[in-house]
Amino acid sequence: MSGDLKWNKIIGASLGTVLAILVVKEMSGAIYATETPEKPGYLVNAPEEAEAGAAEVELAPDWGTLIPVADLAAGEAAFARCQACHTVNAGGANGIGPNLYGVVGGPVLHAAGFAYSDAMIAHKAEAPNWGYDELDQFIKAPARYVDGTKMSFAGLRDTTTRVNLIAWMRSQGSGGYAIPAPDPARQPGGAAPAEGAPVEGAPVEGAPAADGAAPAVAVPADAAATPAG
């Protein structure tokens, strides 16, 4: 009998607790009820991106100005992150990626015996050589520049780092590849030359380079790439 009374007390206490909770909930809801105002107190003006103005256009590097003053030591240091896949010495073996000796200004499929991806083979028809612009765009974002490339490197977003790296790579077997004349259109505040007008001092295709080492190569300004499968 005493056991039954004990369980009755427990059940009664539980029911009383639940009832008390429900009563408190209802009372607090009535006391602290809020109503949506008919008018907002103030308006927050969050303009769309278009209101803020057009995004600043990023100029392509002015190779004629930047290559001669590039930091080759910094470029060599930047290449350290490429060494897991590439060699750059003369006659070096291909690895996960092709050997890069003499790649600047060279053909896209420059490394004999390397199994380039179908995407890179197809890209050759669009930009057959690794000019400065090609290398710059490819190193910046390989997968975006050559869709389907086997190169898994995410890319270098910093322009100065890319310029230093390309200048150093040029010193590794590509010293004869001509440096173009400075291009005012690629300098901040510069005006683009009239369509069809030659840039003063620009190298002419087939003409000897300044050091007589190799003929200059005309590279389309809108092309872009880097030596990886």
Side-chain angles (χ1 to χ4, degrees):
M1 179 66 114
S2 60
D4 292 340
L5 290 176
K6 178 181 177 181
W7 283 109
N8 288 340
K9 290 179 181 179
I10 293 173
I11 294 172
S14 299
L15 291 175
T17 301
V18 172
L19 181 60
I21 291 173
L22 292 175
V23 171
V24 170
K25 181 178 178 182
E26 290 298 323
M27 291 179 63
S28 62
I31 294 172
Y32 297 106
T34 58
E35 294 181 4
T36 303
E38 294 180 3
K39 253 187 208 179
Y42 56 90
L43 175 65
V44 177
N45 182 20
E48 296 292 333
E49 188 174 342
E51 292 183 31
E56 184 179 351
V57 177
E58 181 180 357
L59 293 174
D62 180 15
W63 302 107
T65 299
L66 298 175
I67 291 290
V69 297
D71 187 338
L72 298 185
E76 183 176 11
F79 186 79
R81 70 193 73 187
C82 310
Q83 291 177 334
C85 300
H86 299 280
T87 60
V88 73
N89 56 306
N94 295 320
I96 296 174
N99 173 269
L100 300 181
Y101 183 80
V103 68
V104 181
V108 167
L109 309 182
H110 75 288
F114 184 76
Y116 288 95
S117 65
D118 291 340
M120 189 62 70
I121 294 171
H123 176 73
K124 180 184 177 182
E126 302 174 18
N129 297 314
W130 288 120
Y132 296 115
D133 283 338
E134 288 81 4
L135 283 170
D136 180 59
Q137 292 300 313
F138 188 79
I139 294 173
K140 182 179 180 180
R144 185 172 62 187
Y145 183 66
V146 179
D147 186 19
T149 178
K150 292 190 296 186
M151 186 168 174
S152 59
F153 180 57
L156 293 176
R157 297 296 186 267
D158 182 68
T159 300
T160 300
T161 301
R162 296 196 310 273
V163 169
N164 291 335
L165 174 59
I166 291 171
W168 181 79
M169 290 172 65
R170 179 179 178 272
S171 72
Q172 306 302 302
S174 300
Y177 186 61
I179 299 174
D183 184 355
R186 293 189 175 205
Q187 299 169 9
E195 186 176 352
V199 178
E200 183 178 357
V204 179
E205 184 173 5
D211 56 5
V217 179
V219 179
D222 59 350
T226 289

